[in-house]
Amino acid sequence: GDAWAMAVRDGKRAFLVVDGLGHGLSAHEAAQAGTVAFAEQPFDEPIRLMNSLHAAMTGTRGGAAAVAQYDTAAGSLRYAGIGNISGSLVTLEDSRGLASHPGIVGVQARRAQAFDFPGVQGKLMVMYSDGLISRWNIRDYPGLASRHPAVVTALLHRDFNRGRDDVTILAAHLGADP
């Protein structure tokens, strides 16, 4: 059970990708618990937000989760993740990974760490679950980073879907307008 969520407020955007451990209803319940917790306070400080996700997912199978918060005015991104959710900040020329720490949200997770990325305005942010092969390279797709996020996610899903696991891909242009 994978899920994603997004919230917009006062020139800021918050994003979540969560992947419940395993498959079926129990995995879905874990992902939904994380999504509900995110919806309650999507703009909370990332470490507190990850702690809220951990508390909400306790008693479920648990899973992997990552949150990203983009501030339009500052042009900066804060990112925190636990488990195998991957992320990248992408331009037409290259990409930079967004790090997640090992663990299982809701079961056994070490303290989350938030990472700050200044100067991200104009970049494409891509977050994805482990159902997507992580060895894609934006340089193999000239111009892709400037395309609509739906085109980006469709192409990545087509070419890098593992085929044996749920896959969630969230892409967003980090521009001036929320």
Side-chain angles (χ1 to χ4, degrees), residues 6-67:
M6 183 180 122
V8 178
R9 182 179 73 202
D10 300 328
K12 296 180 180 178
R13 286 186 268 173
F15 306 91
L16 165 76
V17 173
V18 60
D19 180 3
L21 204 60
H23 301 281
L25 184 58
S26 295
H28 173 75
E29 289 170 350
Q32 284 304 111
T35 303
V36 169
F38 173 83
E40 291 173 0
Q41 291 291 335
F43 297 98
D44 205 353
E45 194 282 323
I47 294 172
R48 274 196 306 273
L49 183 52
M50 290 299 293
N51 289 338
S52 295
L53 295 174
H54 180 71
M57 293 172 70
T58 297
T60 72
R61 213 177 246 191
V67 296

Side-chain angles (χ1 to χ4, degrees), residues 81-106:
I82 294 175
N84 52 7
I85 302 296
S86 299
S88 295
L89 291 169
V90 180
T91 65
L92 290 173
E93 295 81 34
D94 65 359
S95 65
R96 176 180 184 171
L98 302 172
S100 289
H101 288 291
I104 302 170
V105 180

Side-chain angles (χ1 to χ4, degrees), residues 2-3 24 37 58 69 81 90 103 121 172 177:
D2 292 6
T58 297
Q69 297 169 333
V90 180
Q121 190 168 23
D177 300 321

